[in-house]
Structures are given as structure tokens and as C-alpha cells.
Amino acid sequence: MSKSQGKAFELDPLLRDKVRLLGKLLGQTIEGQYGADMLTRIEDIRKQAKKARQGDTAERDRLLALLKTMPEDALLPVVRGFNQFLNLANIAEQQHGISWRRENVTDDEVEQMFIGLLDRLQQKGINGIDLSSQIAAANIELVLTAHPTEITRRTLIQKYDLISRLLQKRDDLREDHPELKTIDKRIETVIEEIWHTDEIRQVRPTAVDEAKWGFAVIENSLWQAVPGLLRNLDLDLRARGATPLPLTAAPVRFSSWMGGDRDGNPNVTSDVTREVLYLARWMAADLFLRDIENLGMQLSMSEASAELKKFTGEVSHEPYRDCLHALRERLLQTKVWAAAKAKGQESDAEPLQEEDELLQPLLLCYESLKSQGLDEIADAGLLDTIRRVACFGLTLVRLDVRQESTRHADVLAEICDYYGMGDYHSWSEEKKQEFLLAELQSKRPLIPNRWQPSDAVKEVLDTMQVLATRAGDGVSCYIISMASEPSDVLSVVLLLQACGVRDHMPVVPLFETLGDLEQSAPRMEKLWSVDWYREYSLGHQQVMIGYSDSSKDAGQLAAVWAQYRAQEALSQVARDKGIKLRLFHGRGGSVGRGGGPAHRAILSQPPGSVAGGLRVTEQGEMIRFKFGLPEVAKRNLKIYISSVLEANLLPPDSARPEWRELMEQLAGDGVKSYRAMVRDTEDFVRYFRAATPEQELGKLALGSRPARRRSGGGIETLRAIPWIFAWTQMRLMLPAWLGSDEALAKVIDAGKLEALQDMYRQWPFFRTYIDMLEMVLSKSDSGIAQYYEGRLVEHELQPLGSQLRTRLNTMRELVLKLKEQQELLENNIALQQSLSVRDPYTDPLHYLQAELLYRERQDQDVISEEVERALKVTMAGIAAGMRNTG
């Protein structure tokens, strides 16, 4: 237990009241189904857990004895009660963060950050039109991904969102308002609906289901948040005498991997990608149709510009409505067309195909209103719709297609074999490039007419042929995972060309492992030295930096330094070659996968590395936490814009040579230490599988993608997400710190503590790394980890667990020493408070999970339904308590 644990914190009274209200209503629901005795049992467990967390060992022993002997018929109600309380606490906390009634609302951190940035920019002479153009050109793209970290069912998410909206209504009413009772009754009803809904998916979602979930985030939140954000930015700019943003400014756009990411996911096929692309078209048309119908009610005016009258006909008495009516008919046609295409059917409908067909009539109405002096009307709902067109377009959210590099090599190998050209796989890199460049410039078709490819090869080509249709207009880029050589990129360009895909579709290599990150710049330099490719790319290039696999491969410390150096080197080579580079960060929600606060993360990147804009993944449950509510989404989007502006216009100094030298030493020692444990310790994998619920995670229908790349094998076959998920469930948090402990200890023992403290104070990259490490350590708990071990791990493996816990405790002491603090999170009271609210509910779930794992593993032939379901609920509850699953 860390020094900060067990300490009592005073919550904002209003937040405390919300948590208590939701807890009371949940208690009433539980009592209504199971009676007062069950509610008393749950409350007694909570009180015991709270005392145990505060250091009462006798109470902890009594709690553990109680949980070990709990009858099976009580398991499910108890774990469900704790799970749902944690979800409701999350709702209260998230909604309270945007409430105008919260304490210190005048000191809103995001607004202060943005206003302070504008002040500093003005001091540097950046104001007026320059300031507006810099914001408009921020070039931020957030890529929504469906990695299986969102453990909560979509139907429950919708109910949680409704509770958030009801809490906001409560905030807007005075305490004696007669409607308060009605709102509280509605919240009670929704909580009852939640309680009587199965929180665990029984069927694994399909890739199309995941895409629909992504569309729902746009429909329910981002559709309102984006124009609201731009309106807010305009106010900030006007307050400084700057010009408003251009009408079609889109500093932030959105893409998706849902339905396009086929790397290791056999469930994403060419048919799935086609369906998702057309469903996105249908959803966009439907949302714009709602906007147009609202505008039709608003724009009843008769006075109009000559241009609009000419467009609608001089005799029109309601030119705006007539203009919008024509647009409405085209949107209806678009929905009919997209629905048919999504099913693989043909359609005679005449859809909107080009964005200008949607945008120009809206701009015509806007300019007409302005010409008539109706500025307030023009700048209301109509401007919001224009800005939605600029951000979302006809495709709503553009799809990335991702495939593993060997799949493309396999296609070419089969083609070469058919033509009798030899074994493509055995060729040298030089021979491959020579062949690919010759074929790229050849006039004969690459793909033989009467050739029968294997099923795997046919699927790759079928996907590319989908991209050659109108559906392909909704594709943003083609990503190659495990890219290692220029031939990996050239082969994709060749196959896209052979399948009739439009010219210049961006092809994005993804560098993931430690070795690939280290070689990324030399490999891209080779590619950019190919004249044909430079012409094809039009001097622009996107490169993706992988965070998850590099951390699992080398440990977090070595991975973050490799990512930093790769960005530096790639940026420098791009400048030397005259290439406009855009880096794409494949970050996850957890720190072990590159997660953390966006502002800190962006400002910790190498100077100049976001000059070409920023592209970053937003994954799983973090999409809901950051963008699930319009007001929350606006705040987080503003953080991204602020951070990119600051990184580009007020960049930090470059790292000093002595800092770089020390980081090289830390990273080298870190990777050796990490791999010595994970790869070279004989019993490590056995311990991991015994102490964590890794083997049972497959029972959770989390996402459409399998948990393993292939069956059997060690952790190398396990995806990064379940690897981190499993360690998080038992609170050892090993992927985020293992290796860092011995590396930092070695440097400090060598008398370099002051140098590390200097790096922490003055280097944003190192400060962010250490602060993220501190946050993870604050969520770790060696006592809980030891309990899992004692209950689940055979005696001969337990010394390994003892060693890991000792290293965890050493890691805590090192961070405190480096930060010159007495306890973790000394300067992050908000997170301390958040954890203190959750601990009494999360701790029993941990103890019960260990007990349930024990029961299940004792007799796998006779596993009761109650134990199975309760185990799944503990996983969901702990994920809710930790606020990040993987």
C-alpha cells in the first residue's frame, strides 16, 4: 500500500451529494429485488473494505474470511452492486467536471490554459488573422479505434449518458424547484433499468457493430461538440480583436479503424469494409437531413440575394426553404442509395457524391442572409451545419484500412509464381524494389485474367477493389503494420494501382517493435530516395509510430525513448528530403500503451515533430470518457488544439546532450532488465497466467478481434491490450514500470540523482514520463497483488511474485526520491480524491475475483453459472474502478 493510500479526502460537496444520491438510488433498487439483508451485506462489505484500506488489518482479515465463505447465490448480487456503483461514480465525476456549479468554476483549467496560450502568442506578435489561420490549420485528426478496451455494453452506455444529462438538469435548478423530484424519479427509473440489464455481452460484437458504436459517438456527442467548439474559439478570437475562423475551418477531423483494421482480425473482410463505408454514408446523410429539416423551419425569410433568387427561381417567396428542399431530396436519395449499397445491392437513386454538392447551397444561403443584414440568423444553426460539413463531410468519418505487411508479399509471391518469375519471398530487398518499380511503370496488367488466387490472397485483392469503388472515397489511408523495408510500401502502392484505386492514396508504414522504431528513419530515407515514389507521394508522407507493441517488446522506458528518437530522426530526414511529414501516434488508453493526458503528451514530443499536424488514435473506453458527452468532448478537443498550437509556436528547447546520454543509459538498462524478467525468467509466463485472469479474459466478449495473434506460445503471441488488462486486474501494473526500476536505481546509485531531478524539472519529455509512472504506481497495490498470488499461484512460483512486489515498492521509492515528494500524487489532489472514492468498492471486487478464479480453476468440469457470470462482472467492475482497462 502506498503512503498516499488510506488518507481521507474531502470531495467537492456537490460531487459528494451526486455520488450519494446515485448510491442511495442503486441501494433502493438492490433492496427491491433482493431484500434488506442483501443491501446490508453489500454495505457491510463496503465499510469493512474502507477500514481495511485505512490500515485496519483485523478488519481486512474479517473481510477476506467473509468473502471466501460467501455462498454462490450471493456472489452475483454483491459483485454487480459494487460494479454498478463504480460506473455511477464515474458518471457523477465526469458530469461534475463540466458542471457550472462545481467549485472554482471560474478557474476552469482548460479555458485558463487556452487563454494563457493566446496571451503568450500575442506577446510573440502572433495575433489577428495569423492567430485565426494558425488555429484553422492545426490539422488534428483523431482516429477512433475499436480495440477491445471498452468493456461496457452500448445499451448501458446510452443509459449512463441519460443519467449524465439528468444530473446536468439537476444542477440547473434551484434546490426547491418542483421539478427536482421528477428528475430524481427519472434517475431512479434509469438505475433500475441498468440493474435489470445484463452488463456482460453474451455475444462478441462484430466489426460492423463496433463501427455503429463509433457512429453513435458522433451522433450523440461530436455532432454537437464540433460546432460548439468552433463557436467557442470564435468568441476567444474576437475577444482579442482577431478575425473569426473561416466558415469551413476544421482544425479537428475524425477517422476510424472500426471495420477497416484487419491486422490479425479475420472478422474484418472486404464485405465488412464495404458495408461500413456505405453505412457511414447513410449515417452522414441522416444527420445532415435532420439539420436541413431544422433549418427549413428556421429560414422562413423571403428577402434574399440575387444569387439565391436566381438559384431557386425569381418567383420563389421562400427562397431559403426552396433551396433547402432541393438539398433535402438529394439527402433522401443518398440514404436510399447508401442503404442498398451497404447490402451489396444496386440502386437507381441519385446520391450526393461530392462534398460541394452539399456545401454550396448552404454557403449560398449563408451569404444571402449576410447580404440582407441577418447576421444573427446566418451565424446560428446554418453556420453550425456548414461547419459540420467541413468536419464530417459526406463520409461522416473516414476509414483507415490496415493490413499486415506479409499479406501483401504473399499476393506478389503467388503472382510471381504464376508467371514463373521465381520466389518473391526469397529475393533481396534490392531485387524486390527493382521488380516493384518496373511493374509500377509497366503498361501490362499485373493481375492475370485466368488466375485463381488462394482465399487469403483473394481477400487482400477484394479489399483493394472495394477501395476502387465510390466507397473508397471514404478511405483516408492504407496502413501497413510490421513494415520494415521500402518494398513493403511499394508493394501496396503497386497492388492498389493494379486494382484500380485512385492515384495517390496515402500509404502509411507502421513501425512498432523496438528494432523497427530504431530503423524507421533509415528505411524511410531509402524510400524517399526513390524518385518514382517521391512523385507518387506528392512530397507528403504519413508515418505511424506504434506504442503498444514496442512497450510489450522492450518495456515502457526503452519504448518511450525509442519513440522519441524515431520521431526526431524521421522529422530530420523528412526536412532533408523536402518531405512534409505527418506523424501518426498509435497510442492506447493506458500508460503501458502510450496513454496519458493529451496536453502533456503532445508537449513532450520532440520539437518540430507536430509541424505537419497531429494524427492520434483514441481507443476503446477512452473514447467514451473523453468524447462521450458534448461538453466533455469540447473541452478535450480544445486541449488538443491548444497543445498543437503551443508545440508548434512555442516549442520547448531541444534535449541537452547530457540528458540524451543519460536517457540512452536508462533505456539500455531498462530493456535488459525488462527482457531478463519477461523473456529469460523460466517461470515468468507460468506465474503471469496463474496470478492474473489472463486465461479467463477470452470469456469476455470485448471486441471483434481475437485476444491472441495465434494460439499457444508465450506473451509474444498475446496482444498488448490483454497483456496490460490482465496485470491491471490484479493491480501489479507491471507493463508500465518493469525495467524502469532497475534502470533508475542504477543511475541513482551512481550518484546522478541531481541530474535526473534536473531532467525532470526542465525536460517536458522526461517529466511526462515520470508523472505517468507516478500515476500508474498510485493505482498499483502490492497487498492486493499478493492476495491474488496466495490464492491462485502454486507455492513454488510465489518467490517470483515476492520479487516483483519488492521491485514495485522500490519503484515507488525511486519516483518519490526523484520528484522530491513524501507521497505519491502529492500534487494531484483530484486523482487522490477519485481513487479514495473508488477504493472501498474496487477492493472487494479484487478479493472476490481472486476467490472466483480459485473456485473456477479448482473444478473446471463443474463451473456454476453464478461463478462464471460473477467473474465476468468483477472484470468489468475493476475496469470501471481503474478507469482504464488496457
Side-chain angles (χ1 to χ4, degrees), residues 716-748:
E716 73 281 355
T717 67
L718 192 68
R719 292 190 178 280
I721 292 167
W723 161 246
I724 293 171
F725 191 118
W727 289 111
T728 302
Q729 290 280 303
M730 54 93 75
R731 297 289 279 275
L732 199 59
M733 308 298 206
L734 177 141
W737 59 264
L738 185 67
S740 307
D741 57 323
E742 292 188 345
L744 286 168
K746 186 175 178 181
V747 167
I748 290 173

Side-chain angles (χ1 to χ4, degrees), residues 58-213:
E59 201 66 46
R60 180 178 183 270
D61 291 341
R62 282 193 287 273
L63 172 62
L64 295 177
L66 172 68
L67 297 179
K68 281 182 182 178
T69 57
M70 186 177 290
E72 285 198 356
D73 61 356
L75 287 170
L76 195 56
V78 169
V79 297
R80 292 192 70 222
F82 285 114
N83 173 40
Q84 288 304 344
F85 178 84
L86 286 164
N87 280 304
L88 294 172
N90 283 343
I91 293 168
E93 193 173 72
Q94 186 181 43
Q95 182 277 327
H96 188 69
I98 56 173
S99 172
W100 63 272
R101 289 184 59 193
R102 68 190 184 279
E103 289 185 347
N104 301 319
V105 70
T106 54
D107 298 324
D108 185 285
E109 184 181 349
V110 175
E111 289 304 314
Q112 292 300 315
M113 179 198 342
F114 190 69
I115 290 167
L117 172 63
L118 296 185
D119 289 341
R120 283 181 286 147
L121 290 175
Q122 285 191 311
Q123 290 167 11
K124 282 196 67 176
I126 301 172
N127 48 40
I129 188 67
D130 289 340
L131 194 54
S132 298
S133 62
Q134 289 286 354
I135 292 174
N139 194 22
I140 299 163
E141 193 168 358
L142 304 181
V143 185
L144 309 180
T145 74
H147 285 339
T149 56
E150 176 53 88
I151 200 166
T152 308
R153 291 181 61 198
R154 182 178 165 191
T155 186
L156 288 175
I157 290 171
Q158 292 168 340
K159 295 180 190 298
Y160 295 149
D161 288 347
L162 176 55
I163 291 177
S164 291
R165 293 194 293 273
L166 291 168
L167 288 175
Q168 190 60 55
K169 279 188 178 181
R170 287 183 99 257
D171 282 355
D172 293 339
L173 300 176
R174 66 177 189 268
E175 292 181 4
D176 59 346
H177 196 288
E179 198 179 336
L180 271 181
K181 289 183 179 178
T182 304
I183 293 173
D184 288 354
K185 185 63 180 175
R186 182 71 183 111
I187 293 174
E188 182 182 0
T189 302
V190 179
I191 288 175
E192 194 163 355
E193 291 173 9
I194 289 168
W195 181 255
H196 291 284
T197 300
D198 190 347
E199 56 267 89
I200 303 299
R201 297 187 188 99
Q202 298 305 309
V203 179
R204 189 175 290 276
T206 67
V208 174
D209 292 334
E210 291 172 335
K212 289 178 179 177
W213 177 78

